[in-house]
C-alpha cells in the first residue's frame, strides 16, 4: 500500500488512495496504520475516494478505528495532497466530507502550494444536532464530574465540541476524557480547554474523541473561536495558538473560515500482509 504521511500544526495523518473502494474495513486498517509502535503512526487516516457531488471525497478514520465526519487539520492536508497530485486542476477544490461539501481555496505562488483556507461551514448550538441530552443550549453550563466543576459550552462544528474556558495550566488535557464520555453526550464529544489571551488571540489544547490528546484540532479551534465570540470574549477574527502551531480563524456571516499550514512529512509503502 502506497501512503503519504502529512501533518497540519502537529496533527498528523496517513493519506491513502482508495478510488476503486477495495479497502472494506477502514476501521481495522486505521488502527493498524496509526499504531506508533507497530505501524506508521498518526492521529488518523485520510482516504481518497471518488465523489458524485464534489471534486473528490475525503473519508476520515480516527486512530482508534472510529469514523469522523470532519477534521479541520486533516482537510487542509487532504487539499494539499489533491492539488499536488493534480486530481483537481483548480485552486478551488470542492471536497465531500461527512459534514457536507467543503470549499478549499489554495494559495499558490509560482505553481507551488503555499497554504490553504477552508470554509468550514456553519456552526450549530442546538443540543439535538450536537447531539447532547439537554433541553436548552449548553452555554457556560456547570458540569460536575471528576470531582471538579467545569463550565462548558458545546456546539456542533462538523463534529461535537465542548469548550472549557480558563487558564490552561489549571487543566490537564487528559481531563477531557471524562467530559468526552459524560452521559450528557450520547455520541461523546471532543473537548477543548481554551484560554483567552485578548480579543484577537486565544490558546487551545484539545482532547480529541477517538484520538486522545493531539497537538492541534482544526474543528476544535474553530469551535473555540465560535464559543468565545458567542460569550463576548473575542472578536470575529482570532489567532489560535495550539501546541503544534498557529491557526487563523474568522467568522463571516455565520460561517467559519480556517487558514493554516499543511506539510508532507514522508512517503512510503506499507506491507499489508
Amino acid at each position: 500500500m502506497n501512503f503519504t504521511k502529512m501533518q497540519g500544526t502537529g496533527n498528523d495523518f496517513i493519506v491513502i488512495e482508495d478510488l476503486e473502494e477495495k479497502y472494506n474495513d477502514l476501521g481495522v486498517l486505521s488502527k493498524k496504520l496509526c499504531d506508533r509502535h507497530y505501524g506508521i503512526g498518526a492521529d488518523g487516516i485520510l482516504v481518497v475516494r471518488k465523489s458524485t457531488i464534489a471534486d473528490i471525497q475525503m473519508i476520515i478514520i480516527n486512530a482508534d478505528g472510529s469514523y469522523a465526519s470532519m477534521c479541520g487539520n486533516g482537510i487542509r492536508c487532504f487539499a494539499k495532497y489533491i492539488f499536488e497530485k493534480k486530481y483537481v486542476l483548480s485552486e478551488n477544490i470542492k471536497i465531500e466530507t461527512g459534514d457536507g461539501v467543503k470549499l478549499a481555496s489554495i494559495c499558490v505562488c509560482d505553481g507551488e502550494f503555499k497554504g490553504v483556507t477552508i470554509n468550514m461551514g456553519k456552526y450549530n448550538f442546538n443540543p439535538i444536532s450536537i447531539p447532547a441530552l439537554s433541553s436548552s443550549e449548553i452555554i457556560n453550563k456547570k458540569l460536575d464530574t471528576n470531582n471538579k466543576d467545569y463550565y462548558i459550552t458545546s456546539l456542533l462544528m462538523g463534529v461535537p465540541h465542548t469548550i472549557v474556558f480558563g487558564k490552561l495550566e489549571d487543566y490537564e488535557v487528559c481531563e477531557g476524557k471524562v467530559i468526552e464520555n459524560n452521559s450528557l453526550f450520547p455520541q461523546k464529544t471532543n473537548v477543548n480547554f481554551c484560554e483567552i489571551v485578548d480579543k484577537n488571540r486565544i490558546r487551545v489544547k484539545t482532547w480529541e474523541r477517538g484520538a486522545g490528546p493531539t497537538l492541534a484540532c482544526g474543528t476544535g479551534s474553530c469551535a473555540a473561536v465560535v464559543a468565545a465570540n458567542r460569550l463576548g470574549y473575542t472578536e470575529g477574527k482570532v489567532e489560535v495558538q495550539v501546541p503544534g502551531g498557529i491557526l487563523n480563524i474568522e467568522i463571516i456571516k455565520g460561517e467559519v473560515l480556517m487558514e493554516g499550514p499543511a506539510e508532507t512529512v514522508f512517503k512510503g509503502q506499507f506491507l499489508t500482509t
Side-chain angles (χ1 to χ4, degrees):
M1 175 192 294
N2 294 317
F3 72 87
T4 299
K5 178 73 180 287
M6 304 187 76
Q7 66 89 11
T9 52
N11 205 186
D12 58 342
F13 306 94
I14 299 160
V15 184
I16 60 172
E17 297 187 14
D18 189 26
L19 299 174
E20 304 304 322
E21 299 190 22
K22 61 182 179 180
Y23 301 125
N24 296 317
D25 197 334
L26 294 177
V28 171
L29 180 62
S30 183
K31 287 192 285 187
K32 187 174 183 179
L33 295 178
C34 292
D35 190 294
R36 296 189 185 275
H37 300 287
Y38 298 102
I40 301 164
D43 293 322
I45 66 172
L46 307 175
V47 184
V48 182
R49 282 187 173 171
K50 295 176 183 178
S51 174
T52 59
I53 61 172
D55 296 318
I56 202 77
Q57 180 183 183
M58 175 182 72
I59 296 177
I60 310 148
I61 307 295
N62 292 318
D64 70 348
S66 62
Y67 170 80
S69 57
M70 182 55 185
C71 176
N73 291 315
I75 197 172
R76 293 199 316 277
C77 292
F78 188 88
K80 174 182 169 69
Y81 181 90
I82 294 302
F83 176 77
E84 293 184 338
K85 293 279 285 189
K86 294 182 169 40
Y87 279 120
V88 179
L89 299 179
S90 171
E91 294 170 12
N92 295 302
I93 305 173
K94 294 179 180 178
I95 302 172
E96 179 186 351
T97 74
D99 186 46
V101 176
K102 306 298 181 185
L103 179 64
S105 300
I106 308 293
C107 177
V108 181
C109 182
D110 296 327
E112 292 188 5
F113 176 95
K114 294 298 180 181
V116 58
T117 298
I118 306 292
N119 186 330
M120 300 288 284
K122 297 183 181 296
Y123 48 87
N124 192 340
F125 285 94
N126 188 330
I128 296 174
S129 300
I130 294 172
L133 303 179
S134 175
S135 59
S136 59
E137 292 183 346
I138 302 171
I139 307 293
N140 209 27
K141 179 179 179 179
K142 181 179 176 181
L143 179 67
D144 183 4
T145 187
N146 196 32
N147 297 316
K148 193 171 183 178
D149 290 339
Y150 300 92
Y151 287 86
I152 64 171
T153 298
S154 298
L155 66 150
L156 182 72
M157 188 70 245
V159 289
H161 277 284
T162 295
I163 297 87
V164 180
F165 290 100
K167 294 289 185 181
L168 290 190
E169 58 262 31
D170 292 341
Y171 301 99
E172 296 292 335
V173 71
C174 61
E175 294 178 52
K177 184 176 183 179
V178 179
I179 301 174
E180 174 200 1
N181 292 285
N182 190 276
S183 59
L184 180 62
F185 305 104
Q187 295 181 19
K188 302 185 180 182
T189 182
N190 298 280
V191 183
N192 308 276
F193 298 98
C194 179
E195 179 178 334
I196 306 299
V197 178
D198 55 39
K199 284 284 187 177
N200 301 107
R201 288 182 298 161
I202 63 175
R203 297 173 59 216
V204 175
K205 61 183 181 182
T206 300
W207 174 274
E208 287 199 45
R209 179 186 64 170
T214 58
L215 294 178
C217 178
T219 54
S221 295
C222 292
V225 169
V226 170
N229 182 260
R230 172 73 182 266
L231 290 167
Y233 298 152
T234 61
E235 305 292 346
K237 189 173 184 179
V238 178
E239 177 187 279
V240 183
Q241 301 169 1
V242 296
I246 291 175
L247 296 171
N248 293 293
I249 312 295
E250 186 172 8
I251 305 171
I252 300 179
K253 297 180 179 180
E255 295 189 333
V256 183
L257 300 182
M258 174 194 62
E259 182 273 328
E263 295 182 354
T264 299
V265 183
F266 59 87
K267 300 178 182 180
Q269 290 183 326
F270 187 82
L271 303 179
T272 57
T273 55

